Amino acid sequence: MTPFDLAKDIIDKNNYESAVNHLGRAKVVLPTFSELSNPRSLDPSILKMCSDISADEPNSANLFRVHWYNNEGQNGLTEVPGHFILESEFTGVDAPIVVVLGDRFPMINAHKVLAAYACLVTRLITGQFNPAEDRAIWPSTGNYCRGGIAISRILGCRGVAVLPEGMSQERFDWLDNWVTEPADIVRTPGSESNVKEIYDKCAELSKNPANIILNQFSEFANYLINYQCTGGALNHVFTHLQEQNNQLSLAAFVAGTGSGGTLGAGDYLKDQQGTLIVAVEPEECPTMLYNGFGEHNIQGIGDKHIPLVQNVMNTDIVAAVSDKGCDCLNVLFNTKIGHEYLINRRKLSSNTVNKLTKLGLSGIANVLAAIKTARLLELSKNDAVITVATDSGALYSSEKIFTESKIFPDGFDLVSAGETYAQHLLGTQSDHILETTHRDRNRIFNLGYYTWVEQQNISLNDFESRRDQRFWHKLHQLLPIWDEMIREFNKRTGSV
């Protein structure tokens, strides 16, 4: 089957029955997409079960924490998804920049576990994955494969992480503690930009029919879960803020390209609020902007190709940011000297400064791109820009140490902090940014041909079908169908 064969019923009854029996014995209940979109709709007994276990455990109750509404302690729900606002005294632009927090997701402290759940559960309920026999292969540059390993552990199946050897040490440390066997961590050559090498390894692994490749870059379940759950969560944050300022509009949504899935939230926000969609990539690898290539260190943002699940023709702006800026700001936001400078010299509150530690490298990139967008569009104090912090600075302590030794060999002091803030944050301008015309969007769309048609054997007709927004609108019809199939699966397991 191809990524376009989106099942609406059971494909293989033997696999389905095996999955029912497997999860039934383990007493696993699967949450629906609508429950993850609105966890307050969950039965109180489920919420109580979640509160009794740690969010870091490979426990099936944590499937019901795979959403944006966890509180800071991850032991209950918030009324509104966790977020903070960066005001003009920090960013230098009038528009408030709203950052929604991904580090409250369970097990991996990053929102990519949401996509991992969606990609595997849709295979389970359609009989395309047998957890008793198959191995789930998770190609990624870090967080998605960690999410996949976590979901695999909970469902009692074998998971294999495939990721570049140059990713942050914290990713590998986490994987070492979670995989079933050391061989289930497959390191491919290169770093963030080397996605083709991941695909090549997956092609090799797929020769074994028991290896099921769950490629986030081409799994439309990734797009759909983000459309419904991430889009809904971000819209809730905005409407909450709008209650405090009825003049507020949601001008733009900013997200790194990554696998293209999170950008699906932009489609939801455009449907609801008319929001512009801004896709972010590194200056060092400006694929969308300049048909460019290169290597960079903004882990989780862009990778020399156009994902199949990226709705390119709905993209309004493309912005590129420098990985050097993200690396240096990672030091500023996560060191004692950096905090001293921001509080004492920039007069920022300690509360604001502490929140900056919630930004991982891709989160910093998203904030910088949001500032660029605000400058380009000359946004006012009533024009909000919303973005996500996929993960936090805690995942990049090793990268911070490396940056300090490489860029600040004489030590990171108050002068270094001031220079970093001035150059890489206040100095952010509307360069390397493009308001896309129809011709621009077609050019970017066409770049995907070389990956998906020439290399990955997607048919030209299927590839071309994605130009039309009706293709994406039709995808949304799958969401209630899959929810009903999840409910039926849970009934069959006897776990509800």
Side-chain angles (χ1 to χ4, degrees):
M1 297 181 69
T2 77
F4 294 85
D5 296 317
L6 293 157
K8 300 178 182 178
D9 49 27
I10 299 168
I11 301 299
D12 187 313
K13 292 184 178 180
N14 290 331
N15 280 345
Y16 183 84
E17 291 300 330
S18 178
V20 165
N21 292 332
H22 185 89
L23 270 65
R25 287 193 296 271
K27 300 188 182 306
V28 172
V29 180
L30 302 173
T32 64
F33 287 15
S34 59
E35 287 173 331
L36 296 179
S37 178
N38 179 24
R40 289 193 172 277
S41 67
L42 290 169
D43 188 284
S45 64
I46 292 177
L47 297 175
K48 175 63 168 61
M49 178 175 62
C50 291
S51 67
D52 289 340
I53 64 163
S54 167
D56 296 326
E57 290 182 35
N59 188 300
S60 62
N62 273 326
L63 294 177
F64 289 90
R65 279 184 168 133
V66 180
H67 57 69
W68 289 94
Y69 287 82
N70 295 300
N71 64 16
E72 187 170 11
Q74 294 182 303
N75 56 4
L77 298 179
T78 58
E79 184 63 37
V80 180
H83 64 281
F84 61 86
I85 301 172
L86 296 173
E87 304 284 5
S88 60
E89 63 263 28
F90 174 74
T91 63
V93 295
D94 292 334
I97 295 173
V98 184
V99 182
V100 184
L101 299 172
D103 72 337
R104 295 185 180 185
F105 277 79
M107 298 172 289
I108 72 168
N109 299 117
H111 90 282
K112 285 283 191 171
V113 69
L114 182 65
Y117 174 75
C119 291
L120 186 51
V121 75
T122 50
R123 297 295 186 95
L124 281 170
I125 62 173
T126 56
Q128 296 179 82
F129 186 87
N130 184 341
E133 298 179 3
D134 293 336
R135 294 200 308 172
I137 310 298
W138 302 97
S140 169
T141 53
N143 284 332
Y144 173 75
C145 72
R146 292 196 305 122
I149 293 297
I151 299 298
S152 299
R153 276 280 299 273
I154 287 174
L155 299 183
C157 63
R158 184 94 173 265
V160 177
V162 182
L163 72 165
E165 60 189 356
M167 304 310 292
S168 70
Q169 184 59 45
E170 288 78 8
R171 283 164 161 77
F172 289 105
D173 292 341
W174 185 96
L175 287 167
D176 285 337
N177 290 325
W178 276 75
V179 294
T180 304
E181 299 179 16
D184 291 342
I185 305 173
V186 178
R187 294 169 170 83
T188 56
S191 58
E192 175 67 25
S193 297
N194 298 94
V195 172
K196 183 180 183 299
E197 288 77 2
I198 298 173
Y199 290 167
D200 291 344
K201 174 55 69 172
C202 286
E204 177 186 328
L205 291 170
S206 68
K207 293 176 181 178
N208 181 343
N211 289 334
I212 308 300
I213 312 298
L214 297 162
N215 188 345
Q216 61 172 333
F217 301 94
S218 59
E219 291 276 334
F220 288 102
N222 177 12
Y223 165 85
L224 285 169
I225 195 77
N226 278 293
Y227 177 87
Q228 179 171 353
C229 295
T230 304
L234 270 56
N235 190 58
H236 189 180
V237 170
F238 168 69
T239 55
H240 168 73
L241 297 175
Q242 198 177 42
E243 290 173 0
Q244 304 165 38
N245 175 10
N246 61 15
Q247 299 298 310
L248 195 66
S249 67
L250 189 55
F253 166 65
V254 175
T257 302
S259 67
T262 305
L263 283 167
D267 286 3
Y268 184 95
L269 294 173
K270 181 174 284 191
D271 291 342
Q272 298 295 317
Q273 305 292 342
T275 306
L276 298 178
I277 300 171
V278 183
V280 185
E281 66 181 1
E283 285 181 21
E284 293 78 9
C285 186
T287 305
M288 292 182 289
L289 274 181
Y290 308 125
N291 295 14
F293 53 87
E295 187 173 0
H296 68 95
N297 192 47
I298 308 177
Q299 299 185 24
I301 179 174
D303 317 284
K304 286 190 295 199
H305 80 307
I306 306 299
L308 194 69
V309 303
Q310 181 182 349
N311 186 3
V312 172
M313 300 304 291
N314 209 28
T315 301
D316 301 289
I317 295 173
V318 175
V321 297
S322 168
D323 70 345
K324 182 179 179 181
C326 296
D327 285 337
C328 291
L329 289 170
N330 183 40
V331 177
L332 180 70
F333 296 164
N334 292 283
T335 57
K336 183 178 179 181
I337 289 291
H339 285 200
E340 180 182 342
Y341 169 81
L342 292 170
I343 293 170
N344 295 334
R345 298 295 295 274
R346 303 306 309 184
K347 305 304 180 185
L348 298 178
S349 70
S350 58
N351 185 42
T352 296
V353 172
N354 287 333
K355 288 174 181 175
L356 297 176
T357 65
K358 298 294 186 178
L359 298 170
L361 293 178
S362 63
I364 295 171
N366 286 342
V367 167
L368 294 179
I371 294 172
K372 285 193 174 195
T373 300
R375 291 196 185 281
L376 175 73
L377 301 178
E378 300 179 342
L379 299 180
S380 75
K381 64 180 182 180
N382 290 324
D383 300 311
V385 180
I386 198 164
T387 189
V388 296
T390 295
D391 53 28
S392 74
L395 265 177
Y396 302 98
S397 296
S398 60
E399 298 295 324
K400 176 178 67 69
I401 293 169
F402 178 77
T403 299
E404 288 183 272
S405 64
K406 179 182 177 182
I407 298 180
F408 308 106
D410 297 326
F412 186 76
D413 55 18
L414 288 174
V415 173
S416 304
E419 292 173 343
T420 295
Y421 182 76
Q423 178 181 355
H424 297 298
L425 202 137
L426 289 184
T428 298
Q429 300 298 320
S430 55
D431 56 348
H432 301 296
I433 192 168
L434 172 70
E435 289 185 83
T436 59
T437 64
H438 183 70
R439 177 177 291 181
D440 293 323
R441 291 190 290 272
N442 270 319
R443 172 185 61 79
I444 296 167
F445 184 96
N446 291 343
L447 292 175
Y449 171 88
Y450 304 101
T451 296
W452 300 108
V453 178
E454 289 197 344
Q455 296 176 20
Q456 302 300 320
N457 300 315
I458 295 297
S459 77
L460 183 58
N461 285 340
D462 282 342
F463 177 81
E464 286 285 344
S465 68
R466 299 157 43 256
R467 285 190 201 271
D468 192 330
Q469 290 308 299
R470 285 173 293 189
F471 168 84
W472 302 93
H473 295 157
K474 189 175 180 180
L475 283 181
H476 303 158
Q477 299 172 13
L478 287 165
L479 289 164
I481 294 172
W482 284 344
D483 269 2
E484 186 54 40
M485 293 182 72
I486 291 172
R487 294 186 191 100
E488 178 60 27
F489 187 93
N490 285 334
K491 290 178 183 177
R492 295 287 304 277
T493 64
S495 300
V496 292

